[in-house]
Amino acid sequence: MEWLIKENIFDKDKIELNGNKFLIGNGYMGYRGTMEEFSKEQLVACNLSDLYDKVGDKWREPVNAPNGLLTRLYCNGELLSVLSSDIECHEQELNIRNSTHRRYTKFITSSGIKVEVKAERFLSLYNLHLICMKYSFKASEPCDILIETGIDGQVWDINGPHLINIETYKREDNCIFHAITNENKNSLAIAERIEIGFGSEVYDSNSYNSFREISSSIEADKEYTFVKYVSVFKDRDDVEDCVGVAIESNEAAVNLGYDKLLEVNKELWNQRWNDIDVEIEGDDYSQLALRYSIYHLMIIAPTHTDNTSIPARGLSGQVYKGAIFWDTEIFMLPFFLNTKPEIARNLLKYRCNTLDGARRKAADYGYRGAFYAWESQDTGDDACTYFNVTDVFTGRPMRTYFRDKQVHISADVAYAIWQYYLATGDESLLVEGGAETIIECARFFYSYGYFNMDKNRYEILDVTGPDEYHERVNNNAYTSIMVKYTLEAALACIELLKAKYEKEYINLNLEINFEQEIDNFKDMFEKLYIPTPDKETNIIEQFDGYERLENISLEKLKERIIDPNEYLGGGNGLATTTKILKQADVVLALNLFKDRYSEQVKKSNWEYYEPQTEHGSSLSACVYALLAADLGKVDWAYKYFLKTATIDLTGDSKQYVGTLYIGGTHPASNGGAWMTAVLGFGGVKASEGQITMSPKLPESWTFLKFRVVHYGQKYSIKITKDQITIKADNINHKCNEFVINGEKLICNPGQIIEIRY
Ligand code: IFM
């Protein structure tokens, strides 16, 4: 039961939300949870990773592939659609165990014929280019049916259309759709093939669609079934003849057959779940929500490439320009790092691969080093616009400073690369671009920082921290703490290269001439001003002058809102002049550096900032959950855990900022759910070969069970209210040290240890 997401009625008002909620994916593409008869008006989308396009002066965004699953069934000339027909019953189901989407609808035609339709679909993990669907129907009386099925090229676009030079034709039993993108002329091909044992077929096409019309007289109460295979290829997949390989891919699918492909898919998903599942006993809702969050992370994980990373809305659509934000490094990476480090490596390698884009951005702004894009796409250049929000009152674009001033993005990238090294011990990423990236980020901060001669200290001025409502502030605590860590990581990286990779060290120095910078890094590291806890209150001021802002409750601030979608930050925003923050800021820094701050400082700041936080970003709740768990505030942690883990189940999140649609899935929240369960309630801290655990389970959880991989060694861990059981995999070849209750333990390969806590 904790693997099924279900809706038992059709609700027109939920079409958009269910498109996200019932999303399936395989990292190469995501297919929204829409009905087979739907079209772009219902936001059908097959969202592709790693293909972007720009039309005119509109935003650059990812390209949706034409919909190869379009299927419309007519009974005696009458279209059967949940949008227009009478329905006796309707079910939509997503099995997250194996990413399979099902629908069942019983239609009643105007003449009273009952027609049952079943459809099942999945995206193959075995062949990432392949979409498979099985479609069945049965009528209560003999009738004439017509099936329109094929490729619908009229796709949902926010800033499209992206495809030009469209060619539609039939070749070797395949409906073909081929086009190139508008900007870079990338080739994209979709081939659709059908296995059907009844009816007569006529192929049809026009400038957008490539499809078949199958007609047949059918008997009463007999089930008719056909299967569709759809293959999607783009030249960015290193393929020359996209149409040719798409046809071959369908041919291979036909040879294996739908049932075999489904069986293989289930087995591949089973293998995935062996490493990633987290079991909770005693709380079915949390269990489902947590698995659902993990599911969402896995369906968008780029297992196949390091040319791309995970966008802020995953593969659910084109929102946020399909761009990769700091969400990935700070909120999603820990899940991958602790369960699938090879995927974590891909995500970080993408940052190394886009270093030149970050260099270009730094240079554009007159700095040295690497200033990562706030919204990064294929090249690493910034897709974020200067006017990112439209004012709901005037309809005018507002100048925002996400792009220019959220410099912490470079520190987040450097931090994440170094975390990868600390969690895996794998130096290869550092050697293959990771060290260069960290050093270039440090160089950027040295050139961005301001040396205050009077105070003999470096300061980081004119920035926007995670709390985006307060733009262009000085000495934002989160940013400065992260900058200091970047410098620390850069210096450690340089030492490591020098000691172990002399040749690479010399070559890198020849390339980017960093040696002359080392003393600068050291100086800045030592003299960088970091806002410290106030001696009396322990509060770390979020930025210079924050304390002087209006002290108002969130409730009171909300009473001032005129339009539900008005933007609370920026120049005129309601929150700008107040202490209300959009999302965790200081609390995030305290969470990332838990071991560097006292219990009292963490507690005081959590209690101070929590009532002032609007959680206007889906990145916020999990941070409060994590620090609450660390502080033993388990009820609070649980409340925020549910908020973060259920975001895509309930659809309970902001859908608009100004006039900008921001709906879709929330992988950062999903990552936050995993972090809260394992790192928060499980109390796991794993770094440099040592795993510390101090669990605090919520009241109703009788046990929590999960797997972690650290330094390449895998463990199954079960936590009950008073005992921790650790089992080291038999194939482990090294021992990490566990620290529980201050006691150090070694868990040898194959060994099980039990300890009361
Ligand atoms: O990265 C976030 C940011 O912190 C808040 N606004 C939305 C972005 C994408 O999730």
Side-chain angles (χ1 to χ4, degrees), residues 47-71:
N47 196 236
L48 298 176
S49 70
D50 194 30
L51 185 63
Y52 294 90
D53 185 61
K54 182 169 163 61
V55 177
D57 56 4
K58 294 189 212 162
W59 289 342
R60 201 160 186 270
E61 65 185 11
V63 174
N64 280 329
N67 173 25
L69 293 188
L70 174 78
T71 301

Side-chain angles (χ1 to χ4, degrees), residues 640-656:
Y640 279 119
F641 164 76
L642 282 183
K643 196 170 153 73
T644 198
T646 61
I647 188 165
D648 292 323
L649 278 176
T650 58
D652 212 1
S653 65
K654 267 192 194 170
Q655 299 294 305
Y656 284 91

Side-chain angles (χ1 to χ4, degrees), residues 345-406:
R345 193 182 196 283
N346 279 352
L347 300 175
L348 296 170
K349 193 75 194 341
Y350 158 79
R351 291 299 192 178
C352 304
N353 294 340
T354 50
L355 179 57
D356 279 344
R359 286 188 175 117
R360 283 192 289 273
K361 178 172 170 188
D364 268 3
Y365 281 93
Y367 301 109
R368 296 183 299 118
F371 183 3
Y372 272 88
W374 184 240
E375 300 186 20
S376 181
Q377 299 175 332
D378 45 356
T379 62
D381 292 284
D382 210 326
C384 187
T385 54
Y386 296 101
F387 298 85
N388 220 31
V389 177
T390 302
D391 181 40
V392 286
F393 302 112
T394 61
R396 290 184 186 149
M398 292 162 70
R399 179 65 164 102
T400 48
Y401 293 89
F402 305 112
R403 169 197 172 112
D404 322 56
K405 297 297 170 187
Q406 293 216 47

Side-chain angles (χ1 to χ4, degrees), residues 324-538:
I324 293 110
F325 290 64
W326 69 311
D327 304 31
T328 316
E329 281 75 20
I330 302 298
F331 296 86
M332 302 175 215
L333 190 81
F335 162 74
F336 293 109
L337 211 46
N338 287 283
T339 58
K340 293 270 177 202
E342 63 285 5
I343 299 178
R345 193 182 196 283
N346 279 352
L347 300 175
L348 296 170
K349 193 75 194 341
Y350 158 79
R351 291 299 192 178
C352 304
N353 294 340
T354 50
L355 179 57
D356 279 344
R359 286 188 175 117
R360 283 192 289 273
K361 178 172 170 188
D364 268 3
Y365 281 93
Y367 301 109
R368 296 183 299 118
F371 183 3
Y372 272 88
W374 184 240
E375 300 186 20
S376 181
Q377 299 175 332
D378 45 356
T379 62
D381 292 284
D382 210 326
C384 187
T385 54
Y386 296 101
F387 298 85
N388 220 31
V389 177
T390 302
D391 181 40
V392 286
F393 302 112
T394 61
R396 290 184 186 149
M398 292 162 70
R399 179 65 164 102
T400 48
Y401 293 89
F402 305 112
R403 169 197 172 112
D404 322 56
K405 297 297 170 187
Q406 293 216 47
V407 298
H408 67 80
I409 177 68
S410 284
D412 304 324
V413 169
Y415 169 88
I417 293 174
W418 195 243
Q419 291 303 307
Y420 171 85
Y421 165 65
L422 296 180
T424 60
D426 173 13
E427 292 163 358
S428 71
L429 179 69
L430 296 178
V431 176
E432 292 166 28
E436 183 178 358
T437 301
I438 295 176
I439 293 168
E440 288 290 40
C441 289
R443 175 178 266 164
F444 165 67
F445 288 122
Y446 185 76
S447 97
Y448 189 91
Y450 161 74
F451 188 72
N452 185 328
M453 302 247 260
D454 293 338
K455 296 184 174 160
N456 190 32
R457 68 185 195 191
Y458 292 88
E459 299 184 355
I460 306 291
L461 304 179
D462 196 11
V463 296
T464 304
D467 165 23
E468 295 173 327
Y469 288 164
H470 297 96
E471 294 184 318
R472 311 198 65 165
V473 299
N474 293 338
N475 296 314
N476 165 254
Y478 174 85
T479 306
S480 300
I481 290 168
M482 293 299 284
V483 170
K484 187 163 168 116
Y485 190 80
T486 305
L487 295 162
E488 185 181 329
L491 291 167
C493 231
I494 290 169
E495 280 301 304
L496 188 145
L497 281 195
K498 194 170 184 181
K500 291 189 162 177
Y501 299 92
E502 201 190 340
K503 200 172 99 218
E504 286 81 359
Y505 178 93
I506 293 170
N507 286 343
L508 186 60
N509 192 42
L510 282 175
E511 243 175 73
I512 64 168
N513 203 7
F514 64 84
E515 264 189 341
Q516 55 163 22
E517 213 84 72
I518 296 176
D519 287 343
N520 295 340
F521 292 172
K522 283 187 182 153
D523 195 48
M524 190 174 189
F525 174 73
E526 276 155 24
K527 296 191 195 138
L528 178 63
Y529 167 61
I530 304 289
T532 48
D534 178 85
K535 289 209 175 58
E536 274 166 30
T537 63
N538 282 317

Side-chain angles (χ1 to χ4, degrees), residues 312-313 320 325-327 374 406 466 468 582-583 617-619:
R313 289 292 180 264
Y320 280 138
F325 290 64
W326 69 311
D327 304 31
W374 184 240
Q406 293 216 47
E468 295 173 327
K582 180 177 182 185
Q583 64 201 91
S617 159
S618 60
L619 277 51

